[in-house]
Amino acid sequence: MAIKNTIGIFKDGLNVKVAQLTRTKDGIKIIRLDETQLSYPFYYKRVEEYESDELPEEMTEELAEFEDEEIKIPELTEIEETDSIQEINEEEVLSGKNDLQKLLLNFQLNKSIFALNANDEQIVTQEFPPDFAKRSINKRLQKELLTKEERKKKQFSIDHIRGEDNQIRSYLHKGRFDLLSAVKDINPIISKKQFIFNHIEPNEISLLNFIRNNLELNEKEYTTFLYIGQEFKIGMIFQEDKHVKNFSIIVPETQTGNILQPIFSKILLEQDSSDIPATQNILIAGERVSDQDIEYLQENCGAESHVHRLELKNFKEHILPNDENITPEKIARYIIPISLAWRSLEPKNENFYTINLLPKKVIESQKHFRLSWHGFIVLAAIFFFTLSGTIKNMNIRQQISKKKSNSHILNAKLIKFRDQIARYNKIEAELNALSENLKVIDQVKTIRNSWHYILPTLSNYFTRYGLSWIARIQGAKGNFKIGGFTTNRKNIIEFSKMFPNCQIGNIKHIDMQDMTIWSYLMTFNYPDSIYLTPNRSVTKPPSVSKSKKTVDKTYNQLVRLYLSRDFAPAYSGLKAFIKKNPNSKFSDSAHYLMAECLYQQNEVKKAIEIFREVSQLQNNNKKTDALMMLGNCYLTQEKKAQAVQTWDKLINEFPQSRLSKIAKMKIKKLGL
């Protein structure tokens, strides 16, 4: 049976694009193109799942006594007379699946099959000679690229294509397909029918398939194709219709505003290193396909170059938008999901690379029943049992009709009693509701005095410990919970002393602009009666001198300026703060933030001087951060060797630091 509707889903970081195509008598049409930005990843690793050696040393010591305890997060609701405390699923609250669900509800899901892209970061590719057997390749890849545990769990997929040079190119995907799992989780929520998945393929293959089926390139000219996504970026060079090579595109963090400049520099570098006229013809697709982007590249490449966005050309009479909002610019942005859906509609098209990384379990579960010789025996047995069952069913029906006539008499008697039972049930329900309301009133009355003590205590503590705030407070019958954030994880220990019998859980860290913010959840018992004496004063943290409070307040205000991205006034304020308070405990951090402000304003040379000074100070808690940013500065100046040397120093001197792992990843990405 021919497929009529297909849906291609492309996930790029937290951005998800969806394209739906349909087959009509006139050809293939685009039904809808739409996208969303996920609020959170589909899945995340809980704090309880981390190994002890993955956590910072200070955090491991502080949480040692809580590692065997399990804390469930209840729903955050205000206490009212008729409210009850309900538990919710934390993963559902913090999952991007809700955003994907809302997006898919805009599409025609019935009688559609799905095609998904694979996460390139989980894919390993290798090439083999043409005479290698695929079974031998599979065994070799599993032995060389997978651990025993990964082979045992079978969380991997392997497939192959034969390139234009007749070489076998193998793709191995390691780990779970998060996009596939998310769509399967959403399936029962938005549709009664089970979704059918056609294939999963790498982004590179989707782009090659689109180009092979859509473009006729000049025989004697080179063409450079650029795809610029949010995270996925790649360059491809073609001569005629032959794929010559790929080159990676890495945009420095400081170039997030104008990313076309480093991309153009990369094209020129590729042109010089390979003697290929990469600027002769340029086709662009992805996020940067506006007229202004095309004009920018055209001006930089010169009048002899030709810069265009990728469009539907050769198959224009078959793939026709049925929506005026589907412009050529929008089609260029949705090239990958369109290619995914297009391939599903034409499974016999020889121009497509038919690679499929869909897990074998999913493929087997979707196979239709095929009738063979032993199938006829099964059908004969089914017919025999069906016939005998029909005869028995007729006899049973006759007996049922006789008993139904008797049941009518009994039903008439039951009707009389049902009205009385309904009245009794209504009275009982009203009594139960009154009883529950009285219990809630007693509960609120009991803990009312406790909150007169709790709220002022919270205010005093969070005034004392700056850059800390509360996100939620919830009271229950036997205890109450406080959730919040802080920039200093040691504050969490101080907050645990506010009230009796504290239990700390769900400690997580979030990296924002080279700063770490810690989230936490604390459970306290209500204070004992000794705390609630009417004339007793509220407990206050240790007193601090007025001048010290002023210094702390000034520094906190400057940090807020930095976090608000007001870098120029933040830099001036930090410079004045250091001059006025050279011996302050915030001196090292203030120096570091000054360099951050310069870095964010593209004053890299000045930033390097301050980062170097901070990295050379002894007993400095910002030394690891300074080494990381010093390497970033060198990389911005194209001084890769100095960047790698700086990150090696960070790895050697602080092997257990969280930033050491990031430094290793950056060095590996540079390939040095």
Side-chain angles (χ1 to χ4, degrees):
M1 180 178 179
I3 299 168
K4 291 190 64 177
N5 295 317
T6 58
I7 294 177
I9 304 179
F10 167 58
K11 181 177 181 296
D12 182 16
L14 291 180
N15 179 259
V16 177
K17 290 185 173 65
V18 181
Q20 184 167 27
L21 277 63
T22 186
R23 183 187 299 277
T24 67
K25 62 180 180 179
D26 298 325
I28 299 173
K29 291 186 178 181
I30 298 175
I31 298 177
R32 186 180 182 89
L33 302 175
D34 207 348
E35 67 179 315
T36 188
Q37 192 73 16
L38 304 179
S39 304
Y40 302 93
F42 289 138
Y43 303 98
Y44 64 98
K45 194 173 184 180
R46 297 176 178 271
V47 174
E48 294 83 3
E49 294 175 358
Y50 282 92
E51 298 294 339
S52 60
D53 58 350
E54 292 182 285
L55 298 172
E57 182 179 356
E58 300 88 346
M59 183 175 171
T60 304
E61 295 175 356
E62 295 171 2
L63 297 179
E65 57 182 306
F66 301 106
E67 63 185 5
D68 294 329
E69 296 184 13
E70 181 179 0
I71 298 177
K72 296 182 178 179
I73 302 177
E75 185 179 12
L76 302 178
T77 58
E78 298 180 356
I79 296 180
E80 297 182 0
E81 293 185 355
T82 58
D83 286 346
S84 60
I85 299 172
Q86 301 176 352
E87 293 184 356
I88 61 176
N89 190 323
E90 179 186 0
E91 185 172 339
E92 291 179 356
V93 175
L94 301 179
S95 172
K97 290 187 288 186
N98 296 329
D99 300 320
L100 179 61
Q101 175 182 330
K102 294 177 182 178
L103 176 63
L104 291 181
L105 285 173
N106 298 322
F107 291 82
Q108 302 173 15
L109 302 178
N110 292 335
K111 298 182 181 180
S112 296
I113 68 169
F114 291 75
L116 315 176
N117 77 307
N119 184 358
D120 283 15
E121 295 180 359
Q122 296 176 253
I123 294 177
V124 181
T125 62
Q126 284 193 13
E127 291 191 355
F128 296 89
D131 56 344
F132 260 56
K134 291 185 178 180
R135 182 175 297 180
S136 300
I137 293 175
N138 290 351
K139 291 182 179 180
R140 182 171 174 179
L141 291 175
Q142 293 180 39
K143 183 177 181 181
E144 293 180 357
L145 302 178
L146 298 174
T147 63
K148 291 183 178 179
E149 187 67 18
E150 289 174 333
R151 293 196 294 268
K152 184 177 179 181
K153 291 183 177 180
K154 296 184 178 180
Q155 284 192 342
F156 64 90
S157 298
I158 302 176
D159 206 352
H160 322 272
I161 61 171
R162 192 173 292 275
E164 295 170 348
D165 55 359
N166 211 29
Q167 294 287 101
I168 298 175
R169 187 172 179 85
S170 299
Y171 293 80
L172 184 145
H173 183 281
K174 300 171 63 175
R176 177 176 64 180
F177 287 94
D178 284 354
L179 179 56
L180 173 64
S181 300
V183 175
K184 292 176 69 176
D185 290 347
I186 294 170
N187 185 174
I189 301 175
I190 61 179
S191 177
K192 295 181 179 179
K193 295 185 178 181
Q194 184 175 355
F195 290 161
I196 302 299
F197 298 92
N198 187 65
H199 66 277
I200 296 177
E201 66 184 20
N203 299 333
E204 172 191 0
I205 298 299
S206 298
L207 295 173
L208 286 173
N209 284 339
F210 189 91
I211 294 171
R212 283 162 60 92
N213 284 276
N214 187 58
L215 297 182
E216 290 182 357
L217 305 177
N218 295 330
E219 294 182 358
K220 298 181 179 180
E221 293 182 349
Y222 286 90
T223 300
T224 300
F225 168 70
L226 300 176
Y227 184 88
I228 308 170
Q230 286 195 0
E231 289 188 7
F232 174 68
K233 300 176 179 66
I234 192 172
M236 296 179 173
I237 298 180
F238 296 82
Q239 185 180 23
E240 300 182 23
D241 58 346
K242 294 182 180 179
H243 177 219
V244 178
K245 64 180 296 188
N246 294 345
F247 60 92
S248 61
I249 299 175
I250 301 174
V251 178
E253 296 177 358
T254 55
Q255 295 288 342
T256 54
N258 181 16
I259 67 172
L260 291 178
Q261 177 60 44
I263 291 174
F264 176 71
S265 300
K266 179 64 177 178
I267 297 173
L268 295 179
L269 179 64
E270 197 67 29
Q271 179 172 275
D272 295 338
S273 62
S274 58
D275 292 329
I276 294 175
T279 60
Q280 194 172 28
N281 295 294
I282 297 179
L283 294 174
I284 61 174
E287 301 299 320
R288 303 302 297 267
V289 292
S290 66
D291 293 338
Q292 293 82 358
D293 297 328
I294 295 174
E295 291 175 3
Y296 177 88
L297 287 176
Q298 183 67 66
E299 290 176 2
N300 283 271
C301 293
E304 298 180 358
S305 301
H306 302 282
V307 182
H308 305 281
R309 70 170 65 89
L310 192 61
E311 298 178 351
L312 297 170
K313 293 184 177 180
N314 291 352
F315 290 81
K316 197 169 184 178
E317 64 274 22
H318 298 299
I319 301 182
L320 303 173
N322 63 352
D323 189 336
E324 296 180 355
N325 295 325
I326 303 179
T327 61
E329 180 175 341
K330 192 169 186 178
I331 290 174
R333 293 180 61 243
Y334 284 76
I335 289 301
I336 292 181
I338 289 175
S339 178
L340 289 167
W342 186 358
R343 177 188 153 187
S344 299
L345 284 174
E346 296 185 350
K348 296 182 180 180
N349 188 335
E350 296 180 355
N351 285 330
F352 283 115
Y353 286 121
T354 56
I355 186 171
N356 191 359
L357 297 176
L358 194 67
K360 290 184 178 180
K361 291 183 179 179
V362 179
I363 296 175
E364 294 296 330
S365 66
Q366 296 180 159
K367 284 185 177 179
H368 298 289
F369 176 76
R370 296 180 179 179
L371 194 63
S372 58
W373 64 269
H374 53 273
F376 289 102
I377 298 176
V378 173
L379 285 177
I382 293 173
F383 176 77
F384 172 77
F385 286 113
T386 303
L387 179 61
S388 61
T390 303
I391 296 172
K392 290 181 180 180
N393 186 45
M394 293 175 63
N395 294 331
I396 292 172
R397 283 176 176 274
Q398 291 177 356
Q399 296 176 10
I400 290 174
S401 62
K402 292 179 181 179
K403 292 187 177 182
K404 277 186 177 181
S405 61
N406 295 329
S407 67
H408 286 305
I409 300 172
L410 296 174
N411 286 335
K413 295 180 180 180
L414 287 174
I415 291 172
K416 295 180 181 180
F417 295 107
R418 285 176 179 172
D419 290 339
Q420 296 179 0
I421 293 173
R423 293 174 186 175
Y424 292 142
N425 289 339
K426 183 177 180 181
I427 295 172
E428 184 179 3
E430 291 175 352
L431 290 173
N432 290 337
L434 288 172
S435 177
E436 291 298 325
N437 289 341
L438 289 174
K439 289 180 181 179
V440 173
I441 291 172
D442 290 340
Q443 176 185 345
V444 174
K445 186 176 179 181
T446 301
I447 66 175
R448 179 185 59 188
N449 292 335
S450 298
W451 288 103
H452 284 293
Y453 170 77
I454 291 170
L455 295 177
T457 302
L458 288 174
S459 176
N460 286 331
Y461 265 85
F462 281 87
T463 300
R464 167 66 178 87
Y465 298 99
L467 289 179
S468 300
W469 60 95
I470 297 176
R472 49 186 173 175
I473 302 176
Q474 179 188 357
K477 183 177 181 180
N479 53 42
F480 64 97
K481 302 178 187 294
I482 297 174
F485 301 87
T486 183
T487 57
N488 188 346
R489 59 178 172 271
K490 294 182 180 180
N491 289 350
I492 298 175
I493 300 303
E494 296 299 326
F495 296 156
S496 67
K497 302 173 184 179
M498 291 188 292
F499 308 107
N501 299 328
C502 174
Q503 296 182 1
I504 306 176
N506 287 54
I507 298 179
K508 305 175 184 176
H509 65 84
I510 307 168
D511 292 329
M512 295 179 62
Q513 299 180 351
D514 299 319
M515 290 190 65
T516 301
I517 298 176
W518 299 83
S519 65
Y520 55 86
L521 178 67
M522 298 182 182
T523 303
F524 297 96
N525 288 348
Y526 285 105
D528 297 332
S529 59
I530 186 172
Y531 292 92
L532 308 179
T533 304
N535 295 326
R536 180 180 175 86
S537 59
V538 176
T539 304
K540 298 181 179 178
S543 60
V544 182
S545 65
K546 186 175 181 180
S547 60
K548 189 174 182 180
K549 285 184 177 179
T550 303
V551 172
D552 293 353
K553 183 177 180 181
T554 302
Y555 178 74
N556 292 339
Q557 290 174 344
L558 293 172
V559 172
R560 291 190 187 96
L561 269 179
Y562 168 78
L563 294 176
S564 301
R565 303 186 67 81
D566 293 332
F567 300 119
Y571 173 80
S572 301
L574 289 165
K575 186 174 182 180
F577 176 84
I578 295 171
K579 184 176 181 180
K580 187 176 180 181
N581 307 282
N583 298 322
S584 170
K585 63 180 181 180
F586 301 115
S587 177
D588 295 342
S589 297
H591 274 90
Y592 174 81
L593 287 179
M594 282 178 60
E596 280 277 9
C597 292
L598 291 171
Y599 179 79
Q600 295 294 341
Q601 297 178 86
N602 292 328
E603 297 187 25
V604 180
K605 290 184 179 180
K606 295 181 180 179
I608 288 176
E609 296 178 3
I610 301 179
F611 280 134
R612 188 183 292 117
E613 292 177 4
V614 176
S615 67
Q616 293 173 354
L617 296 176
Q618 299 297 325
N619 301 323
N620 176 16
N621 59 0
K622 301 300 289 184
K623 189 170 184 177
T624 56
D625 300 88
L627 288 171
M628 173 57 71
M629 289 304 301
L630 188 57
N632 290 341
C633 291
Y634 287 139
L635 186 61
T636 302
Q637 294 181 333
E638 298 293 335
K639 298 178 180 179
K640 297 182 180 180
Q642 289 182 260
V644 172
Q645 183 180 1
T646 304
W647 289 330
D648 280 336
K649 182 178 181 181
L650 169 61
I651 295 168
N652 294 331
E653 294 185 8
F654 305 95
Q656 302 300 322
S657 170
R658 171 181 57 82
L659 294 178
S660 295
K661 297 181 180 179
I662 299 176
K664 291 178 181 178
M665 292 173 62
K666 285 179 174 285
I667 293 173
K668 184 177 179 180
K669 197 169 183 180
L670 289 175
L672 297 179

